[in-house]
C-alpha cells in the first residue's frame, strides 16, 4: 500500500494566503486573551470582524477597520482607494444605539466586549 502524500502544512497555507505579520500577531493576541474581535456591521449589511487590543480606543478600532478593509481590497483586487475622511464625516459607529463619538474613549467604556457588534449609522444632515 503506497503512502499518501501529507496534507499541506498550515505554515504553507499561510504563505499562500499572503498573511501579514500583523494578522498573525493579532491571532496570537486573541489566543492569549490580549485582544478581542469586534464585529463591525457595514451599511450594506456585511459584518467585518476586526481584531483590536483589549483596551483599544474608538480611534484604534477605526484604524484597525481601515487596515482590514485595505488588506481585503488589495487581495481581492477591488476598489483601491476609499476616502476614509468622507466615511467618518458621513457615518457614525454605534453600539447599542449610542454613538461612539469620542475617539479617545476606550471601547470598554462604551460597554463593548469580545464579539460585540458595532454598526455604521449614517449621520443626519445638520
Amino acid at each position: 500500500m503506497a503512502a499518501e502524500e501529507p496534507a499541506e502544512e498550515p505554515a504553507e497555507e499561510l504563505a499562500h494566503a499572503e498573511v501579514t505579520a500583523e494578522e498573525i500577531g493579532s491571532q496570537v493576541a486573541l489566543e492569549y486573551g490580549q485582544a478581542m474581535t469586534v464585529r463591525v456591521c457595514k451599511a450594506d449589511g456585511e459584518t467585518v470582524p476586526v481584531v483590536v487590543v483589549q483596551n483599544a480606543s474608538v480611534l484604534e478600532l477605526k484604524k484597525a477597520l481601515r487596515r482590514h478593509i485595505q488588506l481585503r481590497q488589495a487581495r481581492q483586487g477591488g476598489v483601491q482607494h476609499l476616502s476614509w475622511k468622507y466615511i467618518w464625516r458621513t457615518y457614525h459607529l454605534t453600539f447599542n444605539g449610542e454613538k461612539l463619538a469620542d475617539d479617545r474613549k476606550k471601547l470598554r467604556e462604551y460597554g463593548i466586549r469580545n464579539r460585540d457588534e458595532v454598526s455604521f449609522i449614517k449621520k443626519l444632515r445638520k
Side-chain angles (χ1 to χ4, degrees):
M1 184 173 195
E4 290 185 29
E5 293 229 359
E8 194 169 287
E9 294 294 318
E12 290 177 36
E13 290 176 23
L14 290 176
H16 293 304
E18 297 177 13
V19 176
T20 66
E22 182 181 8
E23 289 172 302
I24 293 170
S26 293
Q27 291 304 311
V28 170
L30 272 175
E31 286 295 317
Y32 285 98
Q34 298 166 340
M36 63 179 173
T37 301
V38 177
R39 297 185 327 237
V40 180
C41 185
K42 292 176 29 187
D44 64 5
E46 178 188 4
T47 301
V48 179
V50 180
V51 178
V52 292
V53 294
Q54 287 287 351
N55 65 343
S57 66
V58 172
L59 182 60
E60 289 169 316
L61 173 62
K62 288 178 176 181
K63 287 179 178 180
L65 175 63
R66 179 180 183 161
R67 283 190 306 271
H68 179 90
I69 298 293
Q70 287 173 332
L71 273 172
R72 188 177 69 186
Q73 288 173 325
R75 289 176 179 150
Q76 293 176 348
V79 176
Q80 290 301 309
H81 177 75
L82 285 175
S83 171
W84 288 94
K85 191 174 184 178
Y86 170 80
I87 290 170
W88 299 128
R89 199 171 55 231
T90 309
Y91 293 92
H92 287 293
L93 285 176
T94 63
F95 176 69
N96 287 342
E98 182 180 1
K99 292 177 190 171
L100 308 184
D102 185 350
D103 280 350
R104 296 169 308 220
K105 201 168 177 181
K106 301 292 183 189
L107 297 177
R108 66 173 172 239
E109 293 178 58
Y110 286 105
I112 298 170
R113 302 282 181 253
N114 191 30
R115 297 190 187 99
D116 280 344
E117 189 171 286
V118 299
S119 300
F120 272 104
I121 303 293
K122 192 162 184 132
K123 293 180 179 181
L124 298 175
R125 291 185 179 184
K126 294 180 182 178

